[in-house]
Amino acid sequence: REILEKLGEQIERGSNGMRLPAGLVLTGGGALLAGTADLGREVLGLPVRVGLVWAGNPQHQDDRRRSLPPPVLAPLAGIPEVQYYSLQKPVSGGWQGSPPLDLVDWTGELGDFAATAGLLTHLDLIISVDTAVAHLAGAMGRPVWVAVPCAPDCRWLEDREDSPWYPTMRLFRQKKFGDLPADLVKEIVL
């Protein structure tokens, strides 16, 4: 990370004479923007980085409708060239445990929304139930897919796959409570 930060500072100052291809920007924090997912996948052969949140606060009045039991995420394990990152904060009560996936878990480092936002900038896609992380990703303009309960609250409207509040958000509606929408899994495979 320190090397990327120093390299980013050098490029911004122009001290090393390096030029980046059009559309790529190296920030002082070392984050590549504008087309990094395509660069990583196609040119470097890196996996797609997908962040996951499967449960909300169990104290929320409709949490049983929005949270997913971790085992329902198992179909995601069969998707090649994807590295999953847990964005799931530990919960007391509600669904316990992690999905049966190879997860990178840095949630112990996420003490506030600023730290969470920092991690979101390095992910190609965030898949979440209706939680603060989904709203944060949407507000940041990050690609985010949200599993919306079959009986959602009014902000998700009806019969839509998009959100008028978050242009980068795609909604996947559950057919029945506790299910991972099948079309969400199918879209990741494509």
Side-chain angles (χ1 to χ4, degrees):
R1 182 179 177 117
E2 289 177 30
I3 293 170
L4 284 175
E5 288 176 2
K6 289 178 183 176
L7 179 60
E9 291 167 8
Q10 289 175 351
I11 289 172
E12 286 178 359
R13 289 193 313 264
S15 63
N16 66 356
M18 225 176 126
R19 295 189 189 270
L20 292 174
L24 292 180
V25 176
L26 189 58
T27 69
L32 282 171
L33 305 173
T36 57
D38 292 337
L39 177 69
R41 260 191 321 278
E42 296 174 18
V43 177
L44 301 176
L46 297 176
V48 177
R49 297 167 306 224
V50 176
L52 296 174
V53 181
W54 54 90
N57 180 347
Q59 304 307 313
H60 184 278
Q61 66 183 18
D62 278 334
D63 188 62
R64 66 181 176 81
R65 296 175 188 244
R66 67 175 179 167
S67 291
L68 298 172
V72 304
L73 297 173
L76 300 178
I79 301 171
E81 299 180 30
V82 176
Q83 176 61 63
Y84 296 103
Y85 292 82
S86 175
L87 300 170
Q88 180 65 53
K89 295 298 277 185
V91 294
S92 58
W95 299 114
Q96 297 293 318
S98 295
L101 300 168
D102 181 22
L103 285 171
V104 176
D105 188 354
W106 289 337
T107 54
E109 306 298 320
L110 304 179
D112 56 25
F113 281 117
T116 303
L119 179 55
L120 295 181
T121 64
H122 295 281
L123 298 174
D124 300 312
L125 174 65
I126 295 91
I127 299 174
S128 180
V129 295
D130 181 9
T131 64
V133 172
H135 291 276
L136 178 61
M140 292 174 59
R142 301 300 301 150
V144 57
W145 293 356
V146 180
V148 177
C150 55
D153 66 43
C154 61
R155 78 183 115 183
W156 300 123
L157 307 174
E158 292 181 8
D159 303 319
R160 293 181 69 137
E161 290 185 358
D162 66 334
S163 166
W165 298 278
Y166 304 122
T168 60
M169 182 177 283
R170 183 158 175 207
L171 305 177
F172 291 85
R173 297 182 183 274
Q174 296 174 334
K175 304 294 186 254
K176 63 181 186 173
F177 292 120
D179 279 353
L180 181 66
D183 53 341
L184 187 145
V185 176
K186 188 190 308 182
E187 282 294 315
I188 297 173
V189 174
L190 297 177

